[in-house]
Amino acid sequence: MKKLNVGIIGLGTVGTGVYKVLQSFKDITIKKIAVKNINKKRNIEDFDETLLTDNAYDIVNNPDIDVVIEVAGGENPAFDILKTAIQNKKHIVTANKELLAKRGNELFRIAKDNNVIILYEAAVAGGIPIIMPVKTILCANKITKIAAILNGTTNYILTKMAEKELSYETALKQAQELGYAETDPTGDVEGYDAAYKISILSTISFNKKVDINKIYREGITKITANDIIAAKELGYKIKLIAMGQVLENGKIDVRVHPMMVAKKHLLAKVGNALNSIMVTGYPVGELVFTGAGAGAEPTASSVVGDLLVLASELETTDSPLPQAICNHTEIAEQIDIGDTYNEYYIAINAGNNPGVIGIIGSICGKHNINISTIMQKGINQDNTAEITVITEKSKESDVQNALNELLKSECINKINNLLRVMS
């Protein structure tokens, strides 16, 4: 393998993992590492402090560095830093899903103009190989659907809520204590992380540019213990699902939200902090990729894997990995969540009045919604009832209109939750 000089931007959890793995490869030399705080103590044995700089431009402007590994994350200042690196003819390996989802189109265009490659296997699902398989082995297929669990933090929280009957708050605290969740977990629990990843994955799978700003996003913060119990009784598990699919009219449906997933479904069986991606295409049919979606070692596996593939290509050609170049010129026509069709779980708090179930049925029928299951379990101390409704496949806008009308009824106190259902 050709000797390669690399610079690393970021030495957090993933950066440290990358550094440690690269020590096994004698043909790869780490020339410089950019960090925010040079004086921070590193959990790395025999670490050479002279490698550190607090200026990332020391890396991207260094003529001796061939490849820039960016694992710092975030849109800014990463965009300007990597843009400079590309203009200086340096290849990029990155795990930065936010940057790629928001400004990937710009970076890929600049990279193409400079005959530079951007590899980003680690940006989606950590250690699970999915980006390069879609671009290479699966390129003969017309991929029509992706359904995935792409965030380990939320999957862990929902798993513990189901297994231990914990509240959301308790499960989140446990995830934070174990290092699965950040002190500020917003990016994970509100679905931003999964949205970035499904944006990237949908773009390369459907060969159309998906706009991150048009992806419907809903997190797990409204999921209650009662929802978990109801799901269990009805034969479901609740998961944060990232979904992308091509509709019959050619439009693209891309979204992230919690779903009640039937226990028989493969995604329902994926627990704790694992990730799983189901890809449906022709002629291959359905494929499932499951594994560790985050963490130092799994993510480092993908980062270093990209680097080694790039190194082997640079040994033989000046135009490496043409299949990795993004040539998406068509912009996806993404549909609004209101135009999607789903089965629904609706949790309703109502007064214990005669005919209340009939009122619910009547309003649903008025809005073209067929009810599959409706049940009431006992009466609360305040003489209210918790009513659970499962619908047949219905249009989202019809369901929302029905809920608005239900809330105007004197006997309906509150819509506790609305979840889409995956059978």
Side-chain angles (χ1 to χ4, degrees):
M1 187 176 71
K2 179 182 177 180
K3 289 186 179 296
L4 209 62
N5 292 329
V6 305
I8 302 175
I9 299 174
L11 196 60
T13 300
V14 175
T16 298
V18 170
Y19 175 88
K20 290 179 178 179
V21 173
L22 285 180
Q23 301 311 299
S24 304
F25 297 91
K26 295 181 179 178
D27 291 321
I28 297 175
T29 302
I30 300 173
K31 300 291 286 187
K32 213 72 182 169
I33 304 172
V35 297
K36 288 182 179 179
N37 182 3
I38 289 180
N39 299 317
K40 179 180 176 181
K41 186 174 177 57
R42 311 286 162 184
N43 184 28
I44 305 174
E45 188 175 347
D46 298 325
F47 182 66
D48 182 1
E49 301 282 347
T50 64
L51 290 175
L52 297 179
T53 177
D54 59 5
N55 185 358
Y57 289 92
D58 289 344
I59 290 175
V60 299
N61 289 323
N62 186 333
D64 294 329
I65 289 176
D66 306 300
V67 180
V68 174
I69 299 173
E70 189 271 314
V71 286
E75 179 183 1
N76 296 306
F79 177 82
D80 288 334
I81 292 169
L82 293 191
K83 178 181 177 181
T84 301
I86 292 167
Q87 290 171 335
N88 288 335
K89 312 297 183 184
K90 301 186 190 304
H91 300 288
I92 306 296
V93 175
T94 180
N96 194 336
K97 63 262 182 180
E98 179 180 0
L99 175 63
L100 294 176
K102 291 180 176 179
R103 307 193 67 177
N105 291 336
E106 296 172 73
L107 281 180
F108 288 123
R109 177 181 53 77
I110 298 167
K112 187 176 181 180
D113 291 343
N114 286 275
N115 193 34
V116 163
I117 296 299
I118 302 174
L119 297 179
Y120 51 99
E121 190 66 64
V124 178
I128 302 173
I130 186 65
I131 300 298
M132 198 57 79
V134 167
K135 284 178 168 288
T136 56
I137 303 300
L138 296 176
C139 66
N141 287 266
K142 181 179 180 181
I143 296 175
T144 55
K145 184 174 181 179
I146 303 158
I149 296 169
L150 291 175
N151 184 269
T153 300
T154 51
N155 203 42
Y156 178 86
I157 290 170
L158 293 171
T159 299
K160 293 311 172 187
M161 287 179 71
E163 290 180 351
K164 306 294 185 181
E165 297 186 357
L166 303 178
S167 67
Y168 165 76
E169 292 77 14
T170 301
L172 170 60
K173 183 178 180 181
Q174 188 178 104
Q176 289 171 324
E177 290 171 349
L178 292 171
Y180 291 129
E182 301 288 343
T183 303
D184 178 2
T186 303
D188 294 320
V189 301
E190 294 293 358
Y192 290 98
D193 177 79
Y196 298 146
K197 294 171 181 176
I198 195 64
S199 168
I200 295 167
L201 201 48
S202 295
T203 293
I204 65 167
S205 297
F206 307 144
N207 292 308
K208 295 180 179 181
K209 297 176 183 177
V210 170
D211 186 345
I212 182 66
N213 298 308
K214 295 181 180 178
I215 294 177
Y216 177 80
R217 175 192 52 75
E218 180 183 330
I220 67 166
T221 56
K222 296 178 183 178
I223 303 297
T224 68
N226 287 338
D227 296 323
I228 297 288
I229 292 169
K232 190 178 297 185
E233 291 175 346
L234 291 164
Y236 296 92
K237 290 184 179 180
I238 299 177
K239 300 290 183 182
L240 183 68
I241 300 295
M243 180 183 297
Q245 55 188 334
V246 181
L247 305 179
E248 290 183 1
N249 59 10
K251 295 181 181 180
I252 307 293
D253 173 14
V254 188
R255 44 192 160 116
V256 173
H257 51 65
M259 297 191 79
M260 293 184 73
V261 182
K263 288 183 179 178
K264 64 183 180 181
H265 198 284
L266 288 172
L267 290 180
K269 304 178 190 301
V270 179
N272 295 315
L274 292 178
N275 282 195
S276 188
I277 305 164
M278 297 185 68
V279 177
T280 303
Y282 177 81
V284 74
E286 191 172 83
L287 298 174
V288 183
F289 301 77
T290 301
E297 289 159 349
T299 309
S301 168
S302 291
V303 171
V304 177
D306 275 347
L307 183 64
L308 294 179
V309 169
L310 180 58
S312 64
E313 287 282 306
L314 291 175
E315 190 173 11
T316 59
T317 178
D318 292 329
S319 300
L321 298 169
Q323 68 271 34
I325 297 173
C326 288
N327 293 308
H328 310 112
T329 56
E330 188 176 352
I331 297 174
E333 186 177 354
Q334 294 166 243
I335 66 168
D336 183 80
I337 186 67
D339 294 325
T340 65
Y341 286 82
N342 310 273
E343 297 170 36
Y344 293 87
Y345 155 89
I346 308 170
I348 302 170
N349 178 268
N352 182 31
N353 303 329
V356 65
I357 288 181
I359 291 171
I360 293 171
S362 175
I363 291 175
C364 284
K366 178 182 175 181
H367 292 278
N368 307 308
I369 301 163
N370 288 333
I371 293 176
S372 174
T373 303
I374 186 166
M375 66 180 188
Q376 174 183 332
K377 290 186 64 178
I379 306 299
N380 298 325
Q381 289 183 347
D382 60 356
N383 200 37
T384 62
E386 303 299 336
I387 300 171
T388 299
V389 175
I390 300 290
T391 77
E392 294 181 7
K393 187 166 284 189
S394 307
K395 190 175 183 179
E396 173 92 17
S397 58
D398 288 339
V399 172
Q400 295 295 344
N401 289 335
L403 295 187
N404 288 334
E405 186 168 343
L406 281 169
L407 287 171
K408 294 175 183 177
S409 173
E410 291 183 1
C411 61
I412 304 299
N413 301 320
K414 184 181 179 183
I415 305 298
N416 289 325
N417 214 341
L418 168 73
L419 295 174
R420 297 154 194 92
V421 177
M422 180 184 288
S423 300

